[in-house]
Amino acid sequence: MSAAGDGSARDTVLGTVRRSLGVTGREAPRRDAVEARIALARPGVVPARGQLPDAERVALFCDKAEAAAATVERVATAADVPDAVARFLRDANLPATIRMGSDPALRSLPWHATALDTAVGPSDGSDINGLSWAYGAVAESGTLVLLSGQDNPTTLNFLPDNHVVVVAARDVAGDYEAVLARVRERYGKGLMPRTLNFVTGPSRSADIEQTLILGAHGPRRLHVVVVEA
């Protein structure tokens, strides 16, 4: 059936439904009810798993991230991040190079105190190691929340073979709804970043004979650095 035919059939079905209900869809009370529901943006059922005190919520995030095959290190302050990144690369026998975006939270850290060779900007696919600062995280599933932009280019989430992500403990939410509410509050209703990525563990696939392969569609290693303060 042609597209025009599809539209005509749809109009016929919807018209029949409206006539049976005795409505046109233009009634003010009905339109007001729809607009009020959209404006309120009420969350659905929120799992209780992540509804914990701060320390327990961060611990749950770390446990869930590790269960998803990520590695996790907790550091006291942001100033400890460069050493943590260098340690991860060294322990994994990876090159002492890292590419990051222009996020001031990352650029201001004491990278000069390490032997790391740092680069800034989006990845073109040739980088072995990428570094991002997460907007937040979800404790109930061990998921990182990354927003696109020059501060943290989306290419760093997928192109490097190894991805290191820094997240502040205060930004670990119990559930997805809490993080999305924070995004809406920051950007305003109806204004979202171009891309919002939810990342749970390294990339993986078991499409071929149910054999798990890491790095199928993105990084084969995901290392999370949680900043306590």
Side-chain angles (χ1 to χ4, degrees), residues 91-183:
D91 291 348
N93 198 29
L94 294 169
T97 61
I98 196 81
R99 176 171 289 276
M100 68 186 79
S102 58
D103 194 324
L106 288 175
R107 296 288 304 281
S108 63
L109 299 181
W111 299 103
H112 61 275
T114 72
L116 293 177
D117 181 12
T118 61
V120 176
S123 176
D124 62 3
S126 62
D127 301 290
I128 301 297
N129 308 310
L131 176 66
S132 303
W133 191 293
Y135 177 76
V138 180
E140 65 173 293
S141 56
T143 299
L144 295 160
V145 182
L146 299 123
L147 307 184
S148 63
Q150 291 184 349
D151 283 357
N152 292 282
T154 297
T155 52
L156 296 179
N157 301 348
F158 300 105
L159 297 184
D161 210 34
N162 310 285
H163 193 198
V164 182
V165 181
V166 182
V167 64
R170 64 178 177 273
D171 292 331
V172 177
D175 49 77
Y176 291 88
E177 288 81 1
V179 174
L180 291 172
R182 208 162 68 214
V183 172

Side-chain angles (χ1 to χ4, degrees), residues 27-119:
E27 292 82 2
R30 295 173 64 87
R31 295 180 66 86
D32 290 345
V34 171
E35 290 173 3
R37 182 169 181 176
I38 293 173
L40 288 174
R42 291 191 181 97
V45 177
V46 177
R49 177 191 294 167
Q51 311 309 307
L52 299 168
D54 292 349
E56 294 177 35
R57 187 171 62 250
V58 174
L60 176 62
F61 165 74
C62 294
D63 289 345
K64 291 296 182 181
E66 290 176 336
T71 53
V72 179
E73 180 175 356
R74 300 174 71 162
V75 298
T77 69
D80 300 316
V81 168
D83 281 341
V85 174
R87 186 162 48 250
F88 163 71
L89 297 178
R90 182 176 63 250
D91 291 348
N93 198 29
L94 294 169
T97 61
I98 196 81
R99 176 171 289 276
M100 68 186 79
S102 58
D103 194 324
L106 288 175
R107 296 288 304 281
S108 63
L109 299 181
W111 299 103
H112 61 275
T114 72
L116 293 177
D117 181 12
T118 61

